[in-house]
Amino acid sequence: MRRALLRQKIDRIGLGGYLHLVQDYPDFCEYMEKVADEFRTIKTFHENGAVYTMPVKVAVLHSWGALRSWTLSGHFHETWMHDLIQVNEALSGLPYEVRFIDFQDVKDGALKDVDVVINAGDAGSAWSGGENWKDAKLVECLTRWVYEGGTFLGIKEPSAVDGFGTRFRMSHVLGVDRDMGERVCHGKWQKEAEQVEGLIPAEAQVKPLSRIYLTDETVQVLKEEDGVPSMTLHKYGKGMGIYLGSFQVNDANTRLLSSLIQYGAGQSLTPMYQTDNLYTECAYYPGSHKLVMINNSGQPQTASVQTEQGTVTGQMEPYETIMITVQ
């Protein structure tokens, strides 16, 4: 919750359940008082002006679009098995403008100022898109957008639908597809993983999806397991396709997602106002001249942030929030 509060102005927080149940736990009550005070302080920062946002626009593409922003069919603990809600959880604290669009939006020109499109989910689900991918105009619009410089980031079974020569309708952009048995006798490219410097945190883990294969020998395999690529990069025109076999939110994978978005948008992998420690994050409020740094881990952490005024370093206890004046 704290990560999202740093990015958006929220006017109310609540404690779920009956308050009298916590009256016999003074340590808990004292901690909740501290959290509530932090919330009120962060709220004043938002009131003094917008939080700093990197010059990157991300669109999450699924059948619901803006009708179901930031959620799936229920709470996180009810839908944790869907990769997209894991992605949403990671995105909620990242310093980007995020919008949710549907497939008609794409055909209506919604991508004209978008840098990265994310499509994630199981084949046939509303999140991957299902029958929407039978629309040739949709595929044409997305293909042109990538060719002209956009990045299509697909996770698990992006653009998957039956009835065509490929399982993934965007396989020509992604450079990967999924063999459901039709190509069991076909030869497949085998490539060892190669790295892009600074792109993938060593701690990041991406599990491969079975039967994924390369469709183009120019695809760069970033991670693989037992010959199955779990993370790939494919240049397409001026843009690119990025594929992940899965996504599970944690500190390292959240930083991985941020790096992939930065890379896909043509931005620095070490931008200003981002901590150099993946177990920490920050938000900068220019109107208040405040840099808020948070420790997302259960261990003490030290992190540095490049600002327009120079490098700012902070030390944080487990899960601590610190606030630094930057002028």
Side-chain angles (χ1 to χ4, degrees), residues 62-81:
H62 55 55
S63 299
W64 289 97
L67 290 175
R68 194 171 278 179
S69 300
W70 296 110
T71 187
L72 271 71
S73 302
H75 298 295
F76 182 87
H77 70 274
E78 297 170 327
T79 57
W80 58 268
M81 71 293 296

Side-chain angles (χ1 to χ4, degrees), residues 18-325:
Y18 297 100
L19 292 178
H20 75 272
L21 295 177
V22 302
Q23 65 185 5
D24 296 329
Y25 300 91
D27 290 347
F28 180 81
C29 293
E30 181 180 344
Y31 182 74
M32 289 307 298
E33 180 182 9
K34 178 177 180 292
V35 170
D37 287 341
E38 284 183 359
F39 167 79
R40 296 184 185 100
T41 301
I42 292 169
K43 183 172 180 288
T44 65
F45 296 163
H46 283 291
E47 290 170 349
N48 291 332
V51 64
Y52 172 80
T53 301
M54 292 184 188
V56 176
K57 293 182 174 63
V58 179
V60 178
L61 173 64
H62 55 55
S63 299
W64 289 97
L67 290 175
R68 194 171 278 179
S69 300
W70 296 110
T71 187
L72 271 71
S73 302
H75 298 295
F76 182 87
H77 70 274
E78 297 170 327
T79 57
W80 58 268
M81 71 293 296
H82 293 287
D83 292 74
L84 182 58
I85 203 165
Q86 303 276 343
V87 171
N88 287 349
E89 191 73 15
L91 283 174
S92 68
L94 294 180
Y96 308 121
E97 178 186 324
V98 180
R99 64 187 69 166
F100 292 78
I101 62 174
D102 61 30
F103 295 93
Q104 185 60 47
D105 293 333
V106 172
K107 294 187 289 185
D108 290 342
L111 300 183
K112 60 182 179 181
D113 62 343
V114 170
D115 299 293
V116 178
V117 167
I118 297 175
N119 179 237
D122 294 301
S125 68
W127 318 118
S128 176
E131 298 289 307
N132 289 286
W133 289 105
K134 292 185 176 182
D135 189 335
K137 183 178 179 182
L138 166 68
V139 176
E140 178 186 337
C141 288
L142 268 170
T143 299
R144 181 186 301 113
W145 172 78
V146 174
Y147 191 82
E148 292 175 352
T151 290
F152 183 76
L153 199 168
I155 300 172
K156 201 166 188 178
E157 293 186 286
S159 73
V161 70
D162 290 330
F164 295 86
T166 59
R167 172 86 166 167
F168 297 169
R169 292 282 273 150
M170 293 295 289
S171 63
H172 55 292
V173 167
L174 294 169
V176 299
D177 199 6
R178 195 174 191 205
D179 177 14
M180 303 308 293
E182 303 92 338
R183 292 174 172 78
V184 67
C185 293
H186 291 211
K188 294 180 175 63
W189 280 292
Q190 297 291 333
K191 301 185 71 173
E192 294 184 358
E194 52 182 316
Q195 298 298 316
V196 174
E197 185 176 356
L199 182 62
I200 304 176
E203 302 86 344
Q205 297 292 326
V206 177
K207 295 181 180 179
L209 183 66
S210 64
R211 300 190 294 273
I212 293 295
Y213 68 97
L214 305 180
T215 64
D216 192 313
E217 62 179 340
T218 65
V219 176
Q220 185 173 357
V221 176
L222 302 177
K223 273 184 173 294
E224 60 88 25
E225 188 174 309
D226 296 328
V228 180
S230 60
M231 186 186 310
T232 63
L233 178 66
H234 182 228
K235 299 294 181 65
Y236 190 83
K238 296 179 181 178
M240 70 183 73
I242 298 174
Y243 176 75
L244 302 179
S246 62
F247 186 85
Q248 183 79 28
V249 66
N250 55 45
D251 295 328
N253 284 356
T254 295
R255 185 57 61 94
L256 168 65
L257 182 63
S258 177
S259 294
L260 292 175
I261 290 171
Q262 289 285 119
Y263 188 77
Q267 300 290 323
S268 170
L269 294 179
T270 56
M272 288 200 305
Y273 300 110
Q274 182 183 76
T275 61
D276 63 354
N277 180 336
L278 64 83
Y279 297 107
T280 68
E281 291 179 295
C282 70
Y284 177 58
Y285 302 86
S288 302
H289 303 288
K290 292 292 185 180
L291 179 70
V292 179
M293 300 175 69
I294 61 174
N295 181 359
N296 293 325
S297 79
Q299 301 294 325
Q301 301 289 344
T302 299
S304 296
V305 179
Q306 294 296 326
T307 75
E308 293 174 325
Q309 286 72 37
T311 302
V312 175
T313 300
Q315 294 182 334
M316 290 154 280
E317 294 301 313
Y319 302 111
E320 186 181 15
T321 301
I322 62 174
M323 303 175 189
I324 303 171
T325 300

